[in-house]
């Protein structure tokens, strides 16, 4: 099998690989110390002396379809509940062609930002879009990016006391049947899996207690992850207290979700005691700093959650509340918002922010085969240069990517194969993608 040596990187997040990384059969075969050579002959050498090498970034929360409604005039400058109420009727127009364009664009954006694994939370299935998750799997395969596709769901509409309109919800039997179909068809539990399925009832204000409980039972049966929004706003807290007579974390425990199979999006409005409870049960939390800032939702207690034992990952969240799909921007925002919340410039370092986006995110998805640069792990790597004017004068290359604002990778490798070369995604005509996606988005004006 061919052995590729990424030689003498300008910097690498893993200190033991200062001399380079050997890739073979889609995995990291060897870490080469500074000044050393690989222990066995190699077939190809890539000169990485211009590149800062990171583990591929792992995005643990997104809504791909929302790329169609970025900076939408009906939703700008609104907080979560009114923002959702403005957009639900617009999103109800989703159909397969526009949805496919939204997925293709989101995944391409993510790849270009150094992301090699992406989790999408898709919960809208208007009539005609019943195979949305199948479309996502097809697009991910074409681009060569790893995905965790969560079969989201909403079955609590406005007439039942929920937030979404009737046109975008499904009944419980339909949701569970399709969840089981997708788990049988697409969920790969093997090491190095390219596609995994998770179950993701959308939020306390859009699903019933029964659906939460039955989704947990199905996840146990198929050994898949569970995902939902929780603790994002005070409005959500009030909704849970009024409808369920408890706070969101209590509700999570009531429905059987309090365990290491679960990871949550946002996790902002948890008390210190709730952080300790979540950590004790190893419940993961995806920090979404950019979206939290845009919607003025608040600050995630990242340090408290990590200290309690919760894996903390990073997500860009939907491209109508971000409004981008850029993981490197998310890394920078995690550092800045973390420092702003604590009032300490030392509270979150560049390496902390990268940890959320790599090891922490991988742990949220239940994957031990990605998220680090180590022998035996998948060869998922993101390579950045410091050639732009913004980096001139930077002395610590790792910190420079965050502090100086890197946004685009020069090369990206997934499972040992280059998927981005010289800043261009392999097999994608960016101008055509922009034109096709723009035309699709105009239908949602």
């Amino acid at each position: 099998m061919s052995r590729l040596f990424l030689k003498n990187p300008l910097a690498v997040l893993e200190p033991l690989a200062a001399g380079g990384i050997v890739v073979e059969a889609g995995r990291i075969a060897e870490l080469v110390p500074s000044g050393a050579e690989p222990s066995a002959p190699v077939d190809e050498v890539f000169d990485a002396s211009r590149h800062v090498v990171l583990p591929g970034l792992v995005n643990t929360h997104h809504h791909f379809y929302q790329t169609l409604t970025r900076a939408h005039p009906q939703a700008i400058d609104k907080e979560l509940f009114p923002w959702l109420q403005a957009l639900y009727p617009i999103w109800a127009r989703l159909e397969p062609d526009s949805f496919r364009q939204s997925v293709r664009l989101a995944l391409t954006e993510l790849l270009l930002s150094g992301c090699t694994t992406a989790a999408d939370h898709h919960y809208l299935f208007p009539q005609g879009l019943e195979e949305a998750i199948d479309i996502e799997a097809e697009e991910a395969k074409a681009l060569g990016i790893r995905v965790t596709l969560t079969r989201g769901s909403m079955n609590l509409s406005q007439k039942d006391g929920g937030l979404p309109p009737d046109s975008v919800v499904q009944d419980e039997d339909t949701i569970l049947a399709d969840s089981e179909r997708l788990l049988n068809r697409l969920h790969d539990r093997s090491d190095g899996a390219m596609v995994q399925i998770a179950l993701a009832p959308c939020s306390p204000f859009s699903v019933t207690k029964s659906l939460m409980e039955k989704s947990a039972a199905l996840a146990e049966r198929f050994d898949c992850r569970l995902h939902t929004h929780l603790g994002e706003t005070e409005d959500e807290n009030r909704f849970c207290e009024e409808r369920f007579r408890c706070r969101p974390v209590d509700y999570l425990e009531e429905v059987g979700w309090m365990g290491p199979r679960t990871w949550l999006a946002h996790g902002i409005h948890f008390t210190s005691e709730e952080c300790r409870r979540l950590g004790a049960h190893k419940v993961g939390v995806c920090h979404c700093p950019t979206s939290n800032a845009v919607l003025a939702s608040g600050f995630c207690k990242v340090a408290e959650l990590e200290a309690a034992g919760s894996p903390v990952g990073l997500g860009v969240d939907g491209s109508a509340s971000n409004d981008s799909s850029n993981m490197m921007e998310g890394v920078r925002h995690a550092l800045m918002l973390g420092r702003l919340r604590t009032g300490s410039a030392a509270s979150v370092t560049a390496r902390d922010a990268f940890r959320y986006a790599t090891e922490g995110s991988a742990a949220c998805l239940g994957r031990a085969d990605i998220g680090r640069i180590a022998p035996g792990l998948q060869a998922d790597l993101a390579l950045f240069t410091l050639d732009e004017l913004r980096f001139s004068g930077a002395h610590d290359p790792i910190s420079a990517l965050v502090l100086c604002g890197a946004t685009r990778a020069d090369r990206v490798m997934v499972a040992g194969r280059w998927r981005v070369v010289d800043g261009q995604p392999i097999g994608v005509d960016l101008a055509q993608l922009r034109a096709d996606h723009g035309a699709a988005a105009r239908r949602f004006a």
Side-chain angles (χ1 to χ4, degrees), residues 31-32 37 44 85 113 118 141 143 204 212 254 260 316 392 405 415:
L31 306 185
V32 180
E37 293 293 328
E44 185 181 354
Q85 289 165 334
S113 73
K141 182 179 180 181
L143 282 168
M212 292 289 284
E254 280 189 19
V316 299
S392 184

Side-chain angles (χ1 to χ4, degrees), residues 387-443:
D387 297 341
E388 296 175 68
L389 292 179
R390 72 180 72 197
F391 300 113
S392 184
H395 297 274
D396 178 343
I398 298 291
S399 296
L401 291 180
V402 183
L403 298 175
C404 301
T407 59
R408 190 157 174 170
D410 182 62
R411 282 186 173 246
V412 178
M413 175 182 286
V414 184
R417 299 182 62 185
W418 293 118
R419 297 301 184 179
V420 174
V421 173
D422 298 332
Q424 299 297 311
I426 301 297
V428 178
D429 182 333
L430 290 179
Q432 188 64 53
L433 175 59
R434 174 65 181 87
D436 293 344
H437 182 274
R442 283 192 286 276
R443 303 171 205 161

Side-chain angles (χ1 to χ4, degrees), residues 62-63 67 70 106 109-110 290 294 316-327 329-330 333:
H62 206 329
H63 306 293
T67 60
R70 294 197 251 226
E109 276 190 283
L110 288 167
T290 309
V294 169
V316 299
D317 199 12
S319 292
S321 64
N322 181 308
D323 291 48
S324 79
S325 303
N326 193 305
M327 274 294 286
E329 282 188 347
H333 293 159

